[in-house]
Amino acid sequence: EDKVVQSPLSLVVHEGDTVTLNCSYEVTNFRSLLWYKQEKKAPTFLFMLTSSGIEKKSGRLSSILDKKELFSILNITATQTGDSAIYLCASNTNAGKSTFGDGTTLTVKP
Amino acid sequence: DSGVTQTPKHLITATGQRVTLRCSPRSGDLSVYWYQQSLDQGLQFLIQYYNGEERAKGNILERFSAQQFPDLHSELNLSSLELGDSALYFCASSDRGGADTQYFGPGTRLTVL
């Protein structure tokens, strides 16, 4: 059975801190790994990763995939209160199936 | 706004009843995915349709069924509802069948009393 595990489950930091969120996966016929941010509504897309070692970057957020060790990390630098959310990692297969992790709840205090 | 629409926003019904949730994908997207998000189980993939055909199945109960119509909108039918079916049901769409970047709708909150 496909499995995605995220750690930590929750994290509390102060504004300006840097955080690293982890996602490990065990998936048959892996195609891509996606990161989403979920606030009080639907998840919004952050990154899609398909190749190992290539960092994707968007402002203060960045992510990288290691297909040999089967994990990905999401980094957020200079955190702001607006970064407070649940961050979801999902693995996708060539057959079109998505498996989500339980998410990491990030709280950024002023 | 992702461009994915879902109706209704909220639905309250009783155990044993049947409901239909509707989703319209982003313009041009061929794939539709359904997810269930409950407090104790996180986001669970239910089923995917691509251009009218079932493409992938996840943890979908036999009491649940879905279809995608020629105009690409999709419906998720939930029958013989139980209290445990209370959850937020999301629809997402993507332009390809490989479950890549998915754009989520606002969700339908189902409450079963």
Side-chain angles (χ1 to χ4, degrees), chain B residues 1-100:
Chain B
D1 184 358
S2 66
V4 178
T5 60
Q6 289 187 247
T7 56
K9 283 187 181 177
H10 300 277
L11 198 47
I12 302 174
T13 188
T15 53
Q17 295 298 304
R18 173 190 168 94
V19 298
T20 298
L21 312 184
R22 184 188 166 102
C23 167
S24 291
R26 290 187 326 156
S27 177
D29 283 357
L30 298 178
S31 276
V32 169
Y33 310 79
W34 285 100
Y35 295 89
Q36 179 191 58
Q37 188 173 40
S38 51
L39 283 174
D40 59 347
Q41 284 208 313
L43 201 61
Q44 300 286 321
F45 168 69
L46 296 178
I47 197 164
Q48 182 209 357
Y49 279 82
Y50 177 75
N51 205 19
E53 300 289 326
E54 183 184 303
R55 177 78 195 274
K57 225 170 186 176
N59 302 320
I60 188 165
L61 299 172
E62 283 191 15
R63 300 183 285 109
F64 296 0
S65 65
Q67 53 184 326
Q68 186 180 27
F69 295 87
D71 67 352
L72 300 177
H73 91 272
S74 178
E75 292 181 356
L76 178 67
N77 299 297
L78 315 175
S79 61
S80 302
L81 285 167
E82 302 175 359
L83 296 177
D85 297 327
S86 296
L88 198 50
Y89 290 84
F90 286 111
C91 165
S93 74
S94 71
D95 59 359
R96 294 180 290 180
D100 291 320

Side-chain angles (χ1 to χ4, degrees), chain A residues 20-76:
Chain A
T20 298
L21 310 184
N22 303 295
C23 174
S24 64
Y25 63 92
E26 290 177 34
V27 172
T28 305
N29 290 322
F30 174 84
R31 177 187 175 95
S32 59
L33 188 130
L34 279 71
W35 284 95
Y36 291 88
K37 178 182 182 182
Q38 185 174 25
E39 296 171 271
K40 289 183 181 176
K41 40 197 176 179
T44 52
F45 170 76
L46 294 175
F47 297 110
M48 181 177 72
L49 304 155
T50 55
S51 302
S52 267
I54 298 175
E55 186 183 51
K56 293 232 174 167
K57 208 167 163 64
S58 175
R60 296 176 294 102
L61 278 66
S62 63
S63 184
I64 198 161
L65 175 69
D66 185 328
K67 288 168 79 172
K68 184 179 174 189
E69 299 298 328
L70 307 183
F71 78 90
S72 174
I73 60 172
L74 174 69
N75 279 319
I76 309 175

